[in-house]
Amino acid sequence: MSEEKIYMNRELSWLKFNERVLEEAENEKTPLCERLSFASIYQSNLDEFFMVRVGSLIDQMMVSKDILDNKTRMTPKEQIKAILQQVTLLNYRKDAVYETLMKELEEYGIKIVNFQMVGEKEQENLMQFFKAEIAPLISPTIVGKRQPFPFLRNREIYAVAVLERKNGKEKLGIIPCSSSVFPRLIPVQSGTGISMLSEELILHFIAEAFPGYTVKEKSIIRVTRNADIDADALYDEDLDYREFMTELIKKRKKLAPVRLEMSRKMDGSVIRMLCDFLKTDVRYVFQMNTPMDLSFLFQIQDSLRQIPELFYEKRTPQNSIQFRKGISVIEQIKEKDKLLSYPYENIKPFLEMLREAANDPDVVSIKMTLYRMARQSKVVEALIEAAENGKEVLALVELKARFDEENNIEWSRRLEDAGCQVIYGLDGYKVHSKLCLITRKTQGKLEYITQVGTGNYNEKTARLYTDLSLMTADMEIGQEASAVFAALAMGETVEESGHLLVAPKCLQNRVLEMIDEEIDHARKGEKAYIGIKINSLTDKKIIDRLVLASQAGVKIEMIVRGICCLIPGVKGKTENIRIISIVGRYLEHSRIYMFGCGERQKIYIASADYMTRNTLRRVEVAVPIYDLELKTMLNEMFVTMLSDNQQARELQADGNYKRIFAEGPGLNSQEFFLEQAYRQKDEAAPAVSVETAQEE
């Protein structure tokens, strides 16, 4: 068997992940309004994929035809061809599921219509609405010698028409349809749930916007633009970095198109003309049979909130039983390490820890890495309070957090205004670690409270993503965290570490060493085990070492939510590797590394996936779990997820994912953890076992 059979192309693997998202929109067991969410997420995921990954491949293709994927040896051109074919197939499924969902919504009085579906009276009312409420607010443009083709904003909707004068000359008319001034859903009949999308209304009456012309062809269009900019390659050291990033965001909005979507068939010459204007290729043109922006589905959801069965059962993060009320959070962390599991448990203890630190006279400093923050961030508010109380506050704000740059720029200004020391990361590296260090000085001695997490300091995503957060008073871990911040403040990276795994220099090599240890145990005939939970697996060095471990007889179990470039179950190569993916109510985001068995087992939680960008081009931190109770907790969580037979799919040796069907009682791991958190909120309540959940 050729070596390539154990590898999957990164981009095609990502499309398989988005296919699993689409499957949840298709899943009849998922409540109807939640299926709407998955359909919208599928679309927004695909938008970002074109903006970042397809854009990057197009850039590579322009630079050199000889660039090859290091695993499948595919050229950028070959990858793009395969992507476009797969996206076309997936979009057929999206069209079908959208139609199904719209039909099911009709049972609840919700209907999206076009002009062919409404009567004469409704048509007259819509015409009056267009003339009174929309026509005065739109800005039609005719493309000609004196009117250049307008700039089409990224992912915004436009109506386009081929216009003909009486003399037979043709021109192109364009109207922007994305507006906050008029609603996206236009009521067709007041007091009912029957609506028309505003762009369809504009397109129907487009002739009214261009008097003196005959409309020969028309369509809704949307352009997706490349968003892949290398900030470090463009940065000039003489510029203020924050102002540079502000300008870079503006530049990204004007990058080349990588996709053109159209709602109607148009003559090939018109499509070629549009592509010429946009400087893109006709192969990136997609005809869409569904709306190009599905964000209006959330508005429909809001109108149906009074019907509980259309949604997941309402659940809220519960208070962790590890913390006792009325006692200092910091003092409780000093007693024993704490591990929070979001969104099943509340982020409140972490926020309370920051607030305590901000007002604790013994706290000398608070240092944090900030990657993505909430719009109304209580974390930043606590840091500002600490600075105003005279604490030394160091915040590393990563301005290169893609699509969150503007939010981070604004927070960095507020932090500086409050007296915090703000730094912006390192040349050539993103700082993606989730690290917080509180330094206290009591009776002349230093104390450290260190927090290391798998997810961002974001109160909103802590309710939507599954993440883990360790808080410890371990002195040696605190010293190493302090060394990380000292290096960052100097614009450097940590050269070596003992307890922590710190990318880019002390994570990949340490992971490879621990894999090698398991290989040695297996070759000696001893029990050897590797358990990994991550979002993505693309790092070829780690992949190849896992293959060696499988061949040596190491049992390897992996939970990889998204991209997975390793194919398991290949005889003689990866037959000792099992890989599943869980896509459900919450976005699986936590990272867990497990090496070894029994007393020699090592467990880490981390901010890093096994992607080269994480292991070698970012500052990432993994922290060991030393507390035996917490190790047991993580082992049980891992086993539970591996036992999921409701939301899990298993990666097969042919590279396809197969849903794991229940044999006996069903187990949805996310619902299990929710139920467990609810039962454990009363400290006296017994913990729920996996077996108990399966019986129920």
Side-chain angles (χ1 to χ4, degrees), residues 27-65:
N27 186 0
E28 294 180 359
K29 293 182 179 180
T30 302
L32 178 57
C33 282
E34 307 297 349
R35 293 170 68 189
L36 298 179
S37 292
F38 282 110
S40 184
I41 291 167
Y42 164 84
Q43 186 192 59
S44 59
N45 280 350
L46 195 60
D47 288 349
E48 187 170 328
F49 177 73
F50 269 88
M51 291 163 64
V52 178
R53 298 308 307 167
V54 176
S56 176
L57 288 170
I58 291 173
D59 290 344
Q60 289 177 32
M61 194 166 56
M62 294 173 66
V63 171
S64 171
K65 295 180 181 179

Side-chain angles (χ1 to χ4, degrees), residues 320-324 328-342 345 349-350 353 449-452 468-474 605 623-625 627 629-630 633 683:
S320 170
I321 63 168
Q322 297 177 61
F323 290 92
R324 305 185 301 280
S328 160
V329 169
I330 290 177
E331 290 302 318
Q332 292 185 69
I333 295 169
K334 287 168 64 178
E335 292 173 6
K336 188 178 184 297
D337 291 355
K338 309 295 182 185
L339 184 69
L340 293 177
S341 176
Y342 310 141
E345 295 177 321
F350 172 72
M353 179 189 77
I449 301 294
T450 310
Q451 183 274 340
V452 183
L468 296 164
S469 173
L470 176 74
M471 292 175 277
T472 179
D474 186 293
I605 65 167
V623 63
I625 306 298
D627 184 273
E629 286 186 27
L630 299 185
M633 170 182 162
E683 193 170 353

Side-chain angles (χ1 to χ4, degrees), residues 79-121:
Q79 293 179 68
I80 288 173
K81 181 180 179 181
I83 287 167
L84 298 179
Q85 290 174 342
Q86 189 62 29
V87 168
T88 299
L89 294 174
L90 288 173
N91 279 344
Y92 286 140
R93 287 174 60 182
K94 184 197 76 170
D95 292 346
V97 73
Y98 176 82
E99 185 177 342
T100 298
L101 294 173
M102 290 300 105
K103 285 182 179 177
E104 292 189 28
L105 283 171
E106 289 182 22
E107 297 178 22
Y108 300 92
I110 303 295
K111 191 172 184 178
I112 305 297
V113 299
N114 57 36
F115 262 78
Q116 286 67 46
M117 300 167 67
V118 298
E120 291 184 10
K121 183 180 179 182

Side-chain angles (χ1 to χ4, degrees), residues 31 169 183 286 324 339 341 356 361-362 385 478 514 610 638-639 663:
K169 289 186 177 181
F286 290 86
R324 305 185 301 280
L339 184 69
S341 176
E356 279 185 25
D362 292 335
E385 183 180 7
M514 287 186 282
Y610 286 172
F638 197 76
V639 169
E663 294 181 4

Side-chain angles (χ1 to χ4, degrees), residues 259-309:
R259 180 179 58 170
L260 171 62
E261 297 168 289
M262 308 184 72
S263 69
R264 309 284 198 281
K265 286 184 178 179
M266 300 186 80
D267 187 81
S269 62
V270 178
I271 295 173
R272 287 192 293 274
M273 178 175 60
L274 283 169
C275 289
D276 287 343
F277 280 129
L278 293 166
K279 295 181 173 57
T280 191
D281 195 285
V282 292
R283 63 183 150 168
Y284 303 120
V285 177
F286 290 86
Q287 184 183 333
M288 309 300 290
N289 296 321
T290 56
M292 296 167 199
D293 178 357
L294 295 180
S295 59
F296 69 90
L297 294 179
F298 296 111
Q299 188 176 339
I300 290 175
Q301 283 180 328
D302 288 342
S303 70
L304 296 170
R305 292 286 173 191
Q306 74 280 8
I307 309 176
E309 63 266 24

Side-chain angles (χ1 to χ4, degrees), residues 404-421:
D404 261 7
E405 298 97 338
E406 291 177 271
N407 190 42
N408 287 5
I409 287 169
E410 180 57 32
W411 278 124
S412 71
R413 291 192 174 113
R414 286 193 58 186
L415 286 163
E416 279 190 350
D417 290 344
C420 303
Q421 180 186 352

